[in-house]
């Protein structure tokens, strides 16, 4: 029924569903969030709050997945590489980034397969009405991106503290290594050596590895391709997202990228950089190949 409506009407209705879904479930998060605020950092009551908050967040994703399917039931989702994953483990996810739609795509393909996704976010987003509270309650890591060596050290220490919380409950930590959405203009400005990707930034990824590297079961290296071009969020709301191609490569985390301080240890930082650069080169070739077949 929803798919038969004119595109602007579909967009308005699904946008309303998204807003209501967010407002209602965020309101449901307030009691456990306030209780969590008053409880000690460790202990069963705090873990109960975390479980309750994560269950509400998973319900939010499930409802979003419902309207995404309803608004475009004929959309082709070509997803490979998600078999064998499980929701009681710890994963580190790395993905290319082209659009805000990427977040809903990742949530849809991984929902029920791995623990709820936790994103690295700019600290300014903590103050976004409604959703900022939900991100805080769910222990999303907020990063204040300052300039200079001292500021970067503080940023990474903040990320380290956020990642420490993830040891108490199965978690997936995701990092968009490019740091921003890909555009041809940004690629030219960076003089990126890749055709479809920006240069990777390994700061947040390095701290996640330093804090939880031995606990992560694997790196999930995700490649997202939109054969019709990177969509706007409005396009998804209107049901104009017709093709999505996703490839997930489950990669072991090599011991040489693990260490206590990737910011100061140049050898470890070099190992991480070489590891990510190799993935990025392979990802760039994969995007080329996937685009060529569509």
């Amino acid at each position: 029924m929803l798919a038969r409506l004119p595109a602007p009407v579909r967009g308005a209705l699904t946008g309303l569903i998204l807003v209501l879904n967010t407002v209602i479930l965020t309101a449901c998060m307030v009691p456990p969030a306030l209780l969590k605020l008053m409880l000690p950092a460790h202990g069963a009551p705090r873990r109960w709050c975390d479980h309750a908050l994560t269950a509400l967040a998973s319900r939010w994703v499930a409802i979003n997945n419902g309207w995404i399917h309803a608004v475009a039931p004929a959309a082709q989702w070509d997803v490979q590489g998600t078999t064998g994953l499980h929701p009681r483990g710890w994963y580190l996810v790395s993905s290319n980034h082209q659009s805000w739609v990427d977040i809903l795509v990742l949530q849809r393909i991984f929902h029920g397969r791995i623990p709820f996704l936790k994103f690295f976010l700019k600290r300014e987003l903590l103050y976004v009405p409604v959703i900022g509270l939900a991100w805080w309650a769910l222990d999303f890591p907020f990063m204040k991106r300052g300039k200079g060596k001292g500021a970067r050290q503080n940023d990474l220490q903040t990320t380290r503290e956020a990642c420490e919380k993830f040891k108490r409950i199965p978690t997936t930590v995701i990092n968009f290594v490019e740091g921003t959405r890909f555009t041809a203009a940004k690629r030219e400005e960076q003089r990126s050596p890749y055709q479809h990707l920006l240069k990777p930034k390994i700061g947040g990824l390095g701290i996640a590895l330093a804090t939880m590297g031995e606990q992560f079961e694997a790196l999930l290296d995700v490649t997202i391709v939109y054969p019709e071009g990177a969509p706007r969020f409005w396009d998804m709301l209107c049901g104009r997202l017709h093709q999505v191609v996703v490839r997930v490569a489950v990669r072991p985390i090599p011991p040489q990228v693990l260490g206590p301080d990737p910011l100061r240890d140049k050898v470890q930082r070099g190992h991480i950089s070489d590891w990510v650069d190799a993935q990025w080169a392979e990802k760039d070739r994969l995007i080329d190949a996937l685009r060529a077949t569509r």
Side-chain angles (χ1 to χ4, degrees), residues 72-127:
Q76 299 176 7
W77 287 71
D78 179 2
V79 181
Q80 297 180 16
T82 58
T83 57
L85 305 176
H86 58 96
R88 296 297 300 172
W90 279 261
Y91 295 100
L92 178 60
V93 173
S94 173
S95 174
N96 61 317
H97 190 22
Q98 305 161 78
S99 164
W100 283 110
V101 174
D102 298 342
I103 296 173
L104 290 181
V105 167
L106 290 166
Q107 289 176 333
R108 183 177 185 186
I109 68 167
F110 285 130
H111 181 62
R113 297 180 181 274
I114 61 176
F116 184 75
L117 302 175
K118 303 286 179 72
F119 296 88
F120 290 94
L121 298 171
K122 296 178 182 179
R123 189 170 182 82
E124 291 79 6
L125 295 177
L126 177 62
Y127 306 103

Side-chain angles (χ1 to χ4, degrees), residues 5 39 69 75 99 104 107 118 126 175 206 228 257 259 263 275:
L5 298 173
L39 291 171
H69 174 73
S99 164
L104 290 181
Q107 289 176 333
K118 303 286 179 72
L126 177 62
N175 184 223
E228 298 172 317
V257 305
L263 187 65
W275 185 49

Side-chain angles (χ1 to χ4, degrees), residues 231-285:
R232 299 172 301 168
F233 198 78
W234 178 248
D235 293 326
M236 172 171 263
L237 292 175
C238 292
R240 292 196 287 252
L241 185 62
H242 302 126
Q243 287 184 291
V244 182
V245 181
V246 184
R247 296 291 182 267
V248 181
V250 181
R251 301 185 185 278
I253 297 176
Q256 61 266 30
V257 305
L258 303 178
D261 196 344
L263 187 65
R264 295 180 179 177
D265 189 333
K266 292 183 179 180
V267 174
Q268 182 195 352
R269 190 172 182 85
H271 287 317
I272 296 173
S273 181
D274 292 343
W275 185 49
V276 174
D277 286 343
Q279 292 172 34
W280 240 233
E282 182 178 336
K283 188 185 297 290
D284 204 44
R285 293 191 295 268

Side-chain angles (χ1 to χ4, degrees), residues 149-150 152-160 164 202-214 255-272:
K149 184 176 180 180
R152 288 195 298 271
Q153 182 70 42
N154 182 64
D155 298 344
L156 295 179
Q157 178 60 30
T158 300
T159 308
R160 183 191 297 274
E164 285 286 348
I202 64 170
L205 185 68
I207 286 297
L209 288 168
T211 307
M212 295 181 60
E214 294 181 356
Q256 61 266 30
V257 305
L258 303 178
D261 196 344
L263 187 65
R264 295 180 179 177
D265 189 333
K266 292 183 179 180
V267 174
Q268 182 195 352
R269 190 172 182 85
H271 287 317
I272 296 173

